[in-house]
Amino acid sequence: MAKQPQPISPLKNFFAGGFGGVCLVFVGHPLDTIKVRLQTQPKPQPGQAPLYSGTFDCFRKTLVGEGVRGLYRGMAAPIIGVTPMYAVCFFGFGLGKRLQQRKPDDVLTYPQLFAAGMLSGVFTTVIMAPGERIKCLLQIQAATGETKYSGSLDCAKQLYREAGIRGVYKGTVLTLMRDVPASGMYFMTYEWLKNILTPEGKSVSDLSVPRILFAGGLAGIFNWVVAIPPDVLKSRFQTAPEGKYPNGFRDVLRELIREEGVASLYKGFTAVMIRAFPANAACFLGFEVAMKFLNWVAPSL
């Protein structure tokens, strides 16, 4: 295992992670829109074709019907939330690593890296849950032809007015179920790939841009392999009318399995996988660039 850069600075992780998250949203949001629309499209009536036959059909119809702006529908919520969210995510990972070190030069094992990643998933849920709720509602709004919300702020106000803070945080448990194990896989895979790709005798901090992009992109794919089933449940639950699923995700799961089979838990798989590589490659590249800049301007931070 290549030696990890020392010492670990959760504060630098915080700032660098925020920049990485902004890079991720700009690259990945169009396919996130496609993913949510595929996951939440209504079941077709007997004899009728589904609203979208697949990822590329959804992309084409969105582009033709709404233009490029349609692909970026609802991006304000993740952009507003993404900087603190990814800042907290990478801070949580850095803190999780540091808490497991007995000495500053300890090199962590992969299970320890997985545990540190899971801690980051817990940290981000507080910010992620309301942002995801607003984003999903805005993304499906255009597809249904209704205009209930004029934007992210209006959506948040209406949700709070209708159901209080619980309405804004609807789907928090499912967000945790998605992000805790997926974040563990995400960061562990990235660190593992960096170690594999680091030439003998070199430091992981000296990795070339193509290798960082490859490691980050593949880490994103591993993350979503774990995250897709709870993400499908979360999207359905967060966009459902109030009271439709009184028992939470269990009702969503029963309905999906009963009506559409186990394969429905991987709805949007193609869109997610097409998005996962470039978006997360951009995220980790942004993180590493920002980290190098911080190490240069504030080595003692």
Side-chain angles (χ1 to χ4, degrees):
M1 182 186 292
K3 193 171 183 178
Q4 298 162 9
Q6 304 295 334
I8 295 164
S9 172
L11 190 57
K12 285 181 182 176
N13 274 32
F14 179 86
F15 292 114
F19 181 71
V22 172
C23 295
L24 179 143
V25 171
F26 273 110
V27 173
H29 190 80
L31 278 159
D32 186 70
T33 297
I34 302 303
K35 178 205 72 174
V36 170
R37 290 188 177 184
L38 287 170
Q39 289 177 345
T40 58
Q41 67 175 320
K43 185 182 178 183
Q45 296 297 319
Q48 290 185 345
L51 182 60
Y52 307 116
S53 61
T55 299
F56 296 104
D57 182 54
C58 184
F59 179 85
R60 181 183 61 81
K61 287 179 178 176
T62 301
L63 197 60
V64 170
E66 304 167 53
V68 175
R69 289 182 64 184
L71 295 171
Y72 281 91
R73 190 80 60 183
M75 195 177 74
I79 281 292
I80 291 168
V82 79
T83 301
M85 182 185 71
Y86 271 84
V88 169
C89 176
F90 278 84
F91 172 82
F93 179 58
L95 181 62
K97 289 197 291 183
R98 193 143 121 184
L99 288 173
Q100 296 180 89
Q101 287 182 311
R102 294 181 179 180
K103 297 179 293 184
D105 59 348
D106 281 348
V107 177
L108 300 181
T109 64
Y110 292 122
Q112 287 176 313
L113 291 169
F114 187 86
M118 288 197 297
L119 181 63
S120 78
V122 175
F123 272 51
T124 55
T125 297
V126 175
I127 301 170
M128 178 78 86
E132 288 275 301
R133 168 97 153 117
I134 292 165
K135 172 182 70 70
C136 290
L137 287 171
L138 290 173
Q139 285 173 328
I140 68 165
Q141 173 176 266
T144 60
E146 300 177 4
T147 310
K148 183 178 180 181
Y149 310 111
S150 60
S152 299
L153 187 59
D154 179 55
C155 182
K157 286 179 178 177
Q158 288 196 47
L159 289 173
Y160 184 78
R161 190 163 54 242
E162 291 168 3
I165 196 68
R166 290 183 64 184
V168 178
Y169 273 88
K170 181 178 179 180
T172 299
V173 172
L174 280 164
T175 305
L176 274 170
M177 289 173 61
R178 181 191 69 177
D179 289 349
V180 170
S183 294
M185 180 63 73
Y186 186 53
F187 284 108
M188 183 190 72
T189 303
Y190 180 63
E191 296 289 340
W192 170 61
L193 288 168
K194 282 204 303 179
N195 287 327
I196 286 177
L197 295 170
T198 300
E200 190 68 33
K202 297 284 187 178
S203 169
V204 290
S205 60
D206 298 326
L207 273 183
S208 64
V209 168
R211 292 187 180 198
I212 291 171
L213 289 171
F214 178 76
L218 210 55
I221 288 176
F222 274 81
N223 169 82
W224 278 105
V225 167
V226 175
I228 287 178
D231 186 64
V232 172
L233 298 177
K234 180 194 70 65
S235 294
R236 282 290 184 103
F237 184 68
Q238 287 186 320
T239 57
E242 198 62 38
K244 182 177 180 182
Y245 300 116
N247 296 311
F249 74 90
R250 289 173 295 176
D251 285 349
V252 187
L253 181 61
R254 287 192 196 101
E255 181 184 85
L256 276 171
I257 299 298
R258 183 178 65 250
E259 295 185 0
E260 302 176 50
V262 176
S264 63
L265 293 173
Y266 279 87
K267 272 191 172 184
F269 180 84
T270 303
V272 168
M273 289 304 155
I274 292 173
R275 171 186 178 269
F277 193 95
N280 289 284
C283 176
F284 276 110
L285 180 61
F287 170 79
E288 297 289 357
V289 168
M291 186 64 80
K292 285 189 176 182
F293 175 76
L294 289 170
N295 286 334
W296 178 60
V297 299
S300 61
L301 185 64

